[in-house]
Amino acid sequence: MKSPLLHIVTAAALTLISCSATDNDIHFSNKGNEVPEFSSEIAYTYIEDQVAFGPRVPNSDAHRNAINYFRDHFNNTAGRDAVFVQEFKTEVYGDTLQLFNLVAAFGLEHSDRIVLAAHWDSRPRAENDPENPGEPIDGADDGGSGVAILMELATIFAEYDVPVGVDIILFDGEDYGESGDLSNYFLGSRHWAQNPPVPGYSPRFGILLDMVGGTGAVFPKEGYSMNYAPDLVNQIWTVADEMGHGDLFLAEQGGAVSDDHVIVERYTGIPMINIIHHRRGANGRVQFAPYWHTQNDTMEIIDREVLQAVGDVLLEMIYNRIPG
């Protein structure tokens, strides 16, 4: 039996099919609305909870415990009828992986919708670690931080009615591929995009969060995002600057980072951008944080101020900038 969520969101989606989800539809304005407060302290505890399970690698106990934890949280915030877990299996490197995407819908009365997404799995190998390259990582930032921000947003959405429909998606299997093997990354987003739970789903836009809580984080304007939705990127970065976060949301061109948003845009046409901690090197190549894909991606590198800035910008966008 399909979840009631699918029937409700399908009806909303079908009203949008005739409207193309293009960057030209995105126009922000300051409405002077009151914006709820984001708690980086609570978001921090959500990262701690994830890390406490151990590395969330597919087929592990930590992976199974984590999806149950997420399911409980979103059942409690969105309501059971507004949460759908997409289960699927895929074979990678000779192993059959049991994977789970989670979708939670808020503001089901709104046909006009946006997507907020992150990946929840953690990497099964730390190839950049000089001492333990074959061991899985905690993924406090790489996976954990984006999910934690979305969990805190869900708590806020449950208390304060959203002026636009918001669908939160947690993608599984983003980080399973070996270095250089992009065909075995992005397993969850690829399955979701090629097997949509809601036929004809056409939100206004999507925002992907990846590595959004680490010390020293900066968010230049990621390359694919600027191709897919430059107006959206520029408007969000302008909002961040107005809020005093221009030191994080850099007004400069970043690198082109292959990530879940590329898969979503490729298969669905939904313009999705990526807020991701990286730098563009002098040679144009993408550079990530020194703890990326190492055993140092732990709670010690999580910065509450970075979590706060990202959460504040997203809430300002949703409650005060997007046309209602």
Side-chain angles (χ1 to χ4, degrees), residues 9 66 104-105 122 135 152 155 159 169 210 228 235 249 277 313:
V9 177
S122 58
E135 296 299 313
E152 168 61 356
T155 300
E159 183 174 356
I169 306 178
D210 199 354
Y228 301 152
Q235 290 183 83
F249 289 77
H277 176 187
V313 169

Side-chain angles (χ1 to χ4, degrees), residues 111-129:
S111 60
D112 191 8
R113 311 195 65 78
I114 66 170
V115 171
L116 303 178
H119 78 88
W120 69 269
D121 59 305
S122 58
R123 189 153 181 79
R125 67 195 72 81
E127 71 273 11
N128 293 334
D129 195 286

